[in-house]
Amino acid sequence: MKLMDVANELVAGCRENRELANLDKLYAKDAVSVEAMDMGNGREITGVEGIKAKHAWFDSMYEILGGEVSDPFPHGDDRFAVTFEMNAKSKETGEMEVMKEVAVYHVADGKIVREEFFYAGE
């Protein structure tokens, strides 16, 4: 897949709640995911299975009530960024949060090999 094919499919998958299916489709098996801060599981995870576990952890902690996913912003022929804004409710406390982040995705050989998240909480 070309960069924008990967980028557009990632965005479509996020908008259509197909994030988990897209992990196997779009990510290299040894992809790296880097969070802006350690939320108890370390900042960096390697491998699609680890990234799936990170998604499962997030889903166990938060109920997503709505949000927006931007169109992709390409950068050269190997990277793109996407902005995310989510209205979330903590499953533990019931507290509402607005989560905003920018994700930068690195692509090689038609697969995402690295994702980096930049978080701006409210």
Side-chain angles (χ1 to χ4, degrees):
M1 295 176 93
K2 293 182 180 182
L3 177 76
M4 288 309 293
D5 295 330
V6 172
N8 288 325
E9 178 57 25
L10 180 122
V11 167
C14 291
R15 290 176 177 164
E16 298 166 8
N17 296 316
R18 294 186 286 110
E19 298 94 343
L20 291 179
N22 268 350
L23 290 175
D24 287 323
K25 180 179 181 180
L26 300 177
Y27 284 66
K29 291 193 184 315
D30 60 350
V32 175
S33 180
V34 183
E35 291 292 333
M37 64 188 83
D38 185 348
M39 294 182 285
N41 299 316
R43 287 188 57 222
E44 190 169 302
I45 294 172
T46 301
V48 170
E49 294 307 314
I51 296 170
K52 286 179 183 178
K54 182 179 81 164
H55 280 256
W57 172 84
F58 185 86
D59 290 343
S60 76
M61 299 295 292
Y62 294 99
E63 177 184 357
I64 302 302
L65 304 174
E68 293 185 20
V69 180
S70 74
D71 289 337
F73 298 85
H75 182 68
D77 60 359
D78 67 343
R79 286 177 281 174
F80 67 95
V82 176
T83 61
F84 297 92
E85 186 169 332
M86 296 173 279
N87 298 317
K89 178 179 171 183
S90 169
K91 290 182 178 179
E92 183 177 315
T93 66
E95 184 178 322
M96 304 296 287
E97 282 186 59
V98 175
M99 299 178 181
K100 295 180 183 178
E101 62 187 2
V102 174
V104 176
Y105 298 91
H106 301 251
V107 177
D109 298 322
K111 297 282 189 178
I112 295 169
V113 295
R114 184 179 181 87
E115 62 182 13
E116 299 168 318
F117 295 94
F118 299 77
Y119 179 73
E122 257 186 33

